[in-house]
Amino acid sequence: MAEETIFTKIINGDIPADIVYQDELCICIKDINPQAPTHVLVIPRQPIPRLVDANEEDKALLGHLMISVGTIAKQLGVEDAFRVLINNGEDAGQTVFHLHLHILANKKFSEDSLAMS
């Protein structure tokens, strides 16, 4: 079995986090190192190390994560302008190997501001 990540520990309630949203398939927390005034992470409860590790059985979960992004954006009042980002692998800036989606908002983004940890 793979080592538990910080996200697994948050999902299990072992580490506190500022929870913005949760349902049976995912949890959304505020990022502890925000890169925008609004920066939250949408994390599936089922651990998938990287997006590339998802498979056919994960289709419904991946779709649920995207629908949840919309729900969360509306809840946060940023539905008119936000960015969704997924890092895949260390060289892409992924530091926790448990798939998660970044929602960033309340900042003007330029095309060259794509780097995100």
Side-chain angles (χ1 to χ4, degrees):
M1 177 184 241
E3 184 177 328
E4 279 190 333
T5 67
I6 189 169
F7 293 158
T8 302
K9 292 175 182 177
I10 289 170
I11 290 165
N12 291 338
D14 299 330
I15 296 176
D18 194 348
I19 299 172
V20 174
Y21 171 88
Q22 60 183 321
D23 62 27
E24 67 283 351
L25 298 178
C26 67
I27 185 169
C28 178
I29 62 172
K30 289 186 178 180
D31 194 295
I32 60 169
N33 184 27
Q35 303 298 306
T38 298
H39 186 171
V40 296
L41 307 175
V42 181
I43 308 161
R45 292 182 185 276
Q46 172 189 326
I48 301 170
R50 303 171 301 159
L51 181 60
V52 74
D53 297 318
N55 57 45
E56 287 292 317
E57 290 80 35
D58 299 316
K59 278 183 176 181
L61 175 59
L62 296 175
H64 180 81
L65 294 174
M66 296 306 291
I67 297 298
S68 296
V69 164
T71 299
I72 294 161
K74 289 174 187 170
Q75 177 183 317
L76 296 174
V78 299
E79 67 270 21
D80 290 334
F82 63 93
R83 178 172 280 177
V84 178
L85 183 101
I86 299 172
N87 297 316
N88 185 87
E90 188 174 347
D91 286 346
Q94 186 176 6
T95 57
V96 178
F97 286 84
H98 184 135
L99 176 68
H100 55 286
L101 292 73
H102 296 256
I103 301 174
L104 301 110
N106 292 319
K107 175 181 178 178
K108 178 89 171 167
F109 296 101
S110 62
E111 287 187 32
D112 61 346
S113 67
L114 294 177
M116 181 66 45
S117 59

